[in-house]
């Protein structure tokens, strides 16, 4: 499924996930919040590119916290 595909992309890059939360709205669209530490903007940009290539991924939004 989608969460497995997303997790695989992250772990293949040796990025440790700190948190993962998934919720689905009434229309069936899932929102996945993932917390992780990353080495820099270059690694983040590569990760975003790979995540956007996953079928079913609609959008990626970066937040800091």
């Amino acid at each position: 499924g989608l969460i497995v595909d997303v997790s695989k992309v992250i772990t293949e890059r040796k990025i440790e996930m700190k948190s993962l939360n998934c919720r689905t709205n009434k229309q069936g669209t899932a929102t996945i919040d993932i917390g992780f530490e990353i080495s820099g903007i270059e690694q983040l940009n590569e990760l975003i590119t790979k995540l956007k290539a996953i079928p079913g991924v609609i959008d990626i939004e970066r937040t800091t916290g």
Side-chain angles (χ1 to χ4, degrees):
L2 185 59
I3 294 176
V4 173
D5 293 342
V6 168
S7 297
K8 184 177 176 188
V9 166
I10 293 170
T11 56
E12 281 176 347
R13 278 150 191 79
K14 309 282 191 271
I15 298 168
E16 182 184 347
M17 284 191 284
K18 302 289 185 183
S19 63
L20 189 144
N21 185 338
C22 182
R23 61 191 180 279
T24 306
N25 67 17
K26 291 177 184 174
Q27 292 76 30
T29 301
T31 298
I32 306 169
D33 295 316
I34 304 170
F36 53 85
E37 292 180 18
I38 203 150
S39 64
I41 194 73
E42 194 172 296
Q43 186 181 31
L44 179 61
N45 287 337
E46 179 200 353
L47 179 62
I48 289 171
T49 299
K50 294 293 183 182
L51 291 173
K52 284 184 176 180
I54 297 172
V57 172
I58 298 168
D59 191 22
I60 297 175
E61 184 178 310
R62 177 185 175 195
T63 61
T64 56

